[in-house]
Amino acid sequence: MAGADITAGVKGQGSADRRLRPYLGFIWPALVVCSAVIIFPWLFTVWMSFNDWHIGSARAWVGIENYSKLATDRRFLESIGHTIYFTVLAVFLPLVLGTFAATVFHKKFRGRGFFRTLFIMPMMATPVAVSLVWTMMFHPQLGVLNYLLSLVGLPPSLWVFAPATVIPSLALVEVWLWTPFVMIIVLGGLASLPTEPYEAALIDGASQWQMFWKITYPLVLPFIVVAAIIRTIDALKAFETIWVISNGGPGTASETLNVYLYAQAFAYNQVGTASAVVVVFFAIIVVLSLVLLWARQKAQWS
Amino acid sequence: MIDRLSLSRRRALQGATALALAAPMLNTKTAYSQSGAFNWQRFKGQSIEVVMETGPRADLVKKYLKEFEGQTGITIGLEIIPEQQARQKTTIELNSGKPSFDVFNIAYHVQKRQIEKARWLFDITAWTKDPQMTPAEYEFGDVSKPGWDYATQSDGKITSLPMFVDYFMIYINKELFAKKGVQPPKTMDEMMAAAAKLHDPANGIAGYVGRGLRNANVPLYTQYLSGWGQETTRGNPPELLTDTPDAIAAAEYYKKILSNYAPQGVSGFNWNECQGLFMQGKAAIWLDGIGFAPPAEDKTKSRVVGKVGYILPPAGPKAHHSVFFGGGAAIPDASPKKEAAYMAALWMTGRQMTSRMLQTGGGVPFRSAPLKDPAVLSQLTIPKEWADCAAGCAPISMPGLPVIVPVTQFRDTIGTALTNMLAGADPATELKRATAEFKPILDKSEQS
């Protein structure tokens, strides 16, 4: 079978070229748009990162000075730490809660369709509007969250107004927004599972937890990893919730890489430094994505 | 008959050509050379774009737009954008060399040096002295010196018209003060003592509320610093003074009053949250800009209507000042309709509009006449105490932010240090660290 494929391929190559040539012209529009919108801005950003450029002043070529300054910049290094802390919370919690929600919604019960729709709604709201409402809820004296805490007898929390609790509070908003997203992906995976192993396990007397951990979990792992990849990339780049709710504060306690580079570019008008941060950020995202794709390879079971 | 028709067609063509040739001569621009006096209608028929920051000033311009169009015949396309976005938009468009607007709000305390170094503004010095471009009733002499200092670049050119000034004053809740028998404070020590007496967390009352949010809190800090008679920079080229013993003493005062007598979570409060708390009657003292009075006197929004006292900011150990910030109307050098834009700027910063601004409590003009004019004062929609306080701030005013290019970065760096102090950090260490961090940025910005 393989041999026939190869010979067919070799013989077909010449005619394939000839068939392809008139169609080559059709890829030019896509190529031009792609270059203009993706490739050119990317190259220009890399070029800007080698310059010292403040909007309104003259531009000066400085080579890798922007990068060497970043390596010793306390605020930049701290922002990397905040980004990692925020991403871990904003990825791990939705994965766990989303998988749990998917297993719940996989079982049939009355009103399942209605509750599933309700559960998906946070994902459909605009992040900025959601962030504004959460800001009101987080207010230490006038917000509803501290009121709810007082009803159950817990002391009021400072939520996003204290350096120690700001990142967990922001991660809470992200969890509320994106758990439905993970749930949908894992629900799709659950729907594709065969039912025989469960029937066999029930006959053998397995408990619910054993069935989940030994059967469901290994089988939906590829789907969970897909959700993890998408969530990680989104959480690394999360901007609206952090900017609108805490503005990177208090102080710089919740300043992630994305917020830091926004401040550099659009508040301080230092596009050279901001471009250097962008290039470093891009490298981090690419490395993390490759790691996760490798993990996905490992999780394949078929 | 054919002859008559062809003749009348030729006549029509001749007439049309004559009209087309004559049209430029009907241009109103050349008409000015015929009259020797100022005429509001000189540039009528033109249409300009104006960008303003969201707030009472923009509301006022929007309300009286038709009046301007009737007076001058110039149509205005008004764009009102929130403060931060407006500043970003104007910076980026001015940098591109082809701004979409002809007049914009310049925020002197943030943008002045950056814009003057980049030379984006049109020099209006000649027009301010030309009686055909500026009417005598504009009363240049009425605008205060800080206003003209703001509007004049370091090279002596006037590139904008000063519009409004924001001083800092104290808002007090008179009811809470009367309940505990506390007198309104006149000095910073008295303010600390009053805040201590009025602080009642068990009943949800905070003795004091003020900005703790990074960047926004720097004006509050410079107000305290003015009590030691000091600014944050000195000289030209500017030298940082944020780590002197007086600067540290002011930071210690900031830390003490906001950590002990302010509500929990104040480190995230901007003027918006402070105002909200004050209007709910949950704060006794609020030190902030004078432009935030109108909502507090609005029955539909505030629980403290009629109970608000307006007093001068407190005197410090060495001096008594009120920090000020300001805005004006500026014309980009790249605008193709500068004359019409100048008419709009004259109107916006003229006596009539700035008096209206004062009446609604939307701001204080750099002019002193409206503050003394009984006709204006009789129509105030907020208590006269506010206007008296504003008039009292003017003679003791002092710039609240340094005139440097990286103002936003300065506010972020010093602001972070101040917010960290509220979380428990030592003021001296934080200020020294922030000064060391910002110094190379400042030096670099002055070089280029």
Side-chain angles (χ1 to χ4, degrees):
Chain A
M1 182 85 130
D5 278 340
I6 290 171
T7 48
V10 165
K11 207 183 286 178
Q13 235 172 26
S15 57
D17 272 348
R18 255 180 279 123
R19 270 184 289 139
L20 196 54
R21 211 159 288 155
Y23 297 111
L24 279 175
F26 285 92
I27 68 173
W28 279 112
L31 203 61
V32 167
V33 171
C34 205
S35 311
V37 173
I38 300 177
I39 300 179
F40 171 71
W42 172 235
L43 291 174
F44 190 67
T45 304
V46 174
W47 177 76
M48 275 203 289
S49 70
F50 292 125
N51 286 288
D52 175 41
W53 200 349
H54 179 257
I55 295 189
S57 307
R59 180 184 57 83
W61 177 269
V62 290
I64 60 165
E65 189 186 314
N66 283 334
Y67 293 97
S68 56
K69 270 202 283 188
L70 280 179
T72 53
D73 185 354
R74 179 199 60 93
R75 198 169 156 190
F76 172 72
L77 297 170
E78 276 181 17
S79 71
I80 296 186
H82 297 146
T83 313
I84 295 175
Y85 182 29
F86 177 80
T87 306
V88 165
L89 283 179
V91 170
F92 183 69
L93 288 172
L95 281 179
V96 167
L97 294 171
T99 311
F100 176 67
T103 50
V104 166
F105 282 112
H106 187 58
K107 303 200 190 312
K108 288 190 175 32
F109 56 88
R110 212 155 65 130
R112 178 176 80 158
F114 171 73
F115 283 110
R116 201 162 53 186
T117 315
L118 208 63
F119 196 79
I120 292 182
M121 281 170 82
M123 196 175 83
M124 305 204 219
T126 47
V128 173
V130 164
S131 308
L132 288 171
V133 175
W134 276 90
T135 309
M136 288 199 289
M137 298 208 295
F138 279 139
H139 196 287
Q141 285 82 37
L142 308 173
V144 77
L145 289 177
N146 273 345
Y147 171 69
L148 291 173
L149 283 183
S150 69
L151 284 181
V152 289
L154 289 169
S157 164
L158 286 175
W159 299 108
V160 293
F161 295 103
T165 54
V166 62
I167 292 188
S169 305
L170 292 171
L172 176 64
V173 180
E174 284 276 307
V175 166
W176 182 86
L177 267 174
W178 298 113
T179 302
F181 173 75
V182 175
M183 187 206 79
I184 289 184
I185 294 184
V186 176
L187 201 55
L190 283 175
S192 71
L193 293 184
T195 51
E196 294 90 32
Y198 293 102
E199 289 163 11
L202 274 172
I203 294 173
D204 286 343
S207 71
Q208 287 288 334
W209 169 252
Q210 279 175 321
M211 280 202 289
F212 172 78
W213 190 243
K214 295 278 197 257
I215 306 176
T216 314
Y217 176 69
L219 292 179
V220 292
L221 199 54
F223 298 90
I224 295 180
V225 172
V226 166
I229 293 175
I230 303 178
R231 267 312 298 150
T232 307
I233 296 179
D234 275 347
L236 280 171
K237 296 190 294 178
F239 179 77
E240 312 97 3
T241 41
I242 304 175
W243 185 258
V244 171
I245 296 180
S246 72
N247 210 35
T252 48
S254 63
E255 198 171 61
T256 58
L257 265 176
N258 213 357
V259 170
Y260 176 64
L261 87 87
Y262 177 87
Q264 281 289 342
F266 297 109
Y268 309 156
N269 296 317
Q270 297 276 27
V271 286
T273 318
S275 304
V277 176
V278 165
V279 171
V280 172
F281 193 27
F282 178 73
I284 294 178
I285 296 185
V286 164
V287 163
L288 261 172
S289 308
L290 290 174
V291 165
L292 285 169
L293 283 171
W294 170 83
R296 179 166 177 265
Q297 277 293 98
K298 288 266 159 178
Q300 295 284 18
W301 52 269
S302 64
Chain B
M1 201 191 265
I2 300 172
D3 272 342
R4 233 182 296 146
L5 268 173
S6 57
L7 201 60
S8 60
R9 206 179 293 144
R10 190 185 299 162
R11 275 266 167 84
L13 276 171
Q14 282 174 340
T17 323
L19 201 66
L21 286 174
M25 289 196 266
L26 295 171
N27 188 331
T28 49
K29 249 192 233 173
T30 57
Y32 88 85
S33 56
Q34 292 158 11
S35 77
F38 178 80
N39 179 11
W40 279 111
Q41 293 263 332
R42 214 201 307 163
F43 303 106
K44 82 173 181 181
Q46 294 196 18
S47 138
I48 57 170
E49 291 295 315
V50 176
V51 168
M52 291 193 81
E53 295 178 7
T54 308
R57 271 80 63 166
D59 293 337
L60 211 57
V61 168
K62 193 168 169 193
K63 189 171 167 192
Y64 292 103
L65 212 52
K66 287 277 169 290
E67 180 192 273
F68 174 76
E69 291 177 0
Q71 189 182 356
T72 60
I74 301 170
T75 40
I76 289 187
L78 183 61
E79 199 179 350
I80 303 178
I81 315 177
E83 182 186 275
Q84 295 304 319
Q85 286 79 349
R87 290 178 192 167
Q88 283 167 4
K89 176 189 162 107
T90 49
T91 305
I92 293 178
E93 289 201 12
L94 285 167
N95 188 45
S96 74
K98 287 194 181 55
S100 64
F101 46 85
D102 302 291
V103 182
F104 72 101
N105 260 156
I106 175 172
Y108 290 125
H109 48 286
V110 174
Q111 298 176 299
K112 178 182 162 155
R113 188 122 175 90
Q114 176 189 25
I115 291 188
E116 105 183 355
K117 277 193 127 197
R119 292 193 273 267
W120 285 328
L121 294 182
F122 177 64
D123 178 10
I124 57 173
T125 324
W127 282 355
T128 59
K129 301 190 176 68
D130 180 358
Q132 286 184 351
M133 285 304 289
T134 308
E137 69 250 19
Y138 187 76
E139 288 169 333
F140 268 102
D142 189 30
V143 178
S144 64
K145 185 174 180 303
W148 286 122
D149 285 342
Y150 261 153
T152 313
Q153 296 185 165
S154 52
D155 56 10
K157 297 194 191 138
I158 301 176
T159 46
S160 56
L161 292 176
M163 187 162 27
F164 63 89
V165 57
D166 272 330
Y167 301 110
F168 259 45
M169 66 156 71
I170 312 181
Y171 300 84
I172 60 170
N173 187 325
K174 289 199 275 207
E175 192 182 45
L176 290 174
F177 268 72
K179 250 194 230 168
K180 298 235 172 138
V182 181
Q183 287 299 309
K186 289 201 177 54
T187 68
M188 287 172 74
D189 290 334
E190 280 176 28
M191 189 165 78
M192 180 82 79
K197 263 210 208 130
L198 296 164
H199 191 52
D200 193 2
N203 289 328
I205 306 286
Y208 181 85
V209 74
R211 304 181 189 185
L213 184 69
R214 145 196 117 169
N215 188 301
N217 55 11
V218 174
L220 182 58
Y221 170 68
T222 53
Q223 169 61 49
Y224 294 144
L225 188 56
S226 72
W228 275 265
Q230 198 198 287
E231 288 183 49
T232 44
T233 58
R234 172 178 58 200
N236 193 4
E239 175 204 341
L240 277 177
L241 294 177
T242 43
D243 51 359
T244 62
D246 284 345
I248 296 174
E252 278 167 3
Y253 184 91
Y254 176 90
K255 176 181 174 170
K256 184 167 177 207
I257 200 170
L258 280 178
S259 302
N260 295 329
Y261 309 122
Q264 287 292 306
V266 75
S267 59
F269 279 22
N270 199 346
W271 62 261
N272 200 9
E273 284 84 6
C274 296
Q275 185 184 46
L277 211 63
F278 185 80
M279 294 203 305
Q280 295 296 311
K282 294 207 181 337
I285 304 173
W286 179 34
L287 180 58
D288 214 300
I290 61 171
F292 301 122
E297 298 289 346
D298 183 345
K299 282 199 183 51
T300 60
K301 291 181 191 156
S302 165
R303 290 206 182 139
V304 295
V305 181
K307 300 178 195 161
V308 183
Y310 305 94
I311 51 181
L312 289 178
K318 292 189 187 166
H320 187 196
H321 289 291
S322 170
V323 286
F324 74 88
F325 316 91
I331 304 169
D333 202 28
S335 161
K337 298 178 190 157
K338 300 190 186 55
E339 296 88 358
Y342 187 67
M343 295 291 122
L346 282 178
W347 174 73
M348 282 200 286
T349 62
R351 174 134 175 205
Q352 191 186 36
M353 282 299 277
T354 52
S355 296
R356 285 177 181 146
M357 180 173 71
L358 182 65
Q359 279 171 341
T360 56
V364 178
F366 276 108
R367 298 168 172 276
S368 37
L371 283 164
K372 300 193 203 110
D373 185 350
V376 171
L377 293 174
S378 64
Q379 300 244 348
L380 281 173
T381 55
I382 48 176
K384 187 168 178 297
E385 210 184 332
W386 175 86
D388 289 338
C389 189
C393 287
I396 54 169
S397 65
M398 175 178 173
L401 285 172
V403 181
I404 55 178
V405 176
V407 179
T408 312
Q409 206 161 354
F410 173 77
R411 287 174 70 161
D412 273 354
T413 315
I414 303 293
T416 305
L418 292 168
T419 313
N420 290 346
M421 286 177 220
L422 295 181
D426 171 51
T429 324
E430 282 292 322
L431 277 183
K432 287 195 166 55
R433 181 193 56 78
T435 310
E437 206 177 284
F438 185 69
K439 193 168 179 320
I441 300 171
L442 178 62
D443 293 336
K444 186 121 186 253
S445 75
E446 286 297 317
Q447 271 169 10
S448 45

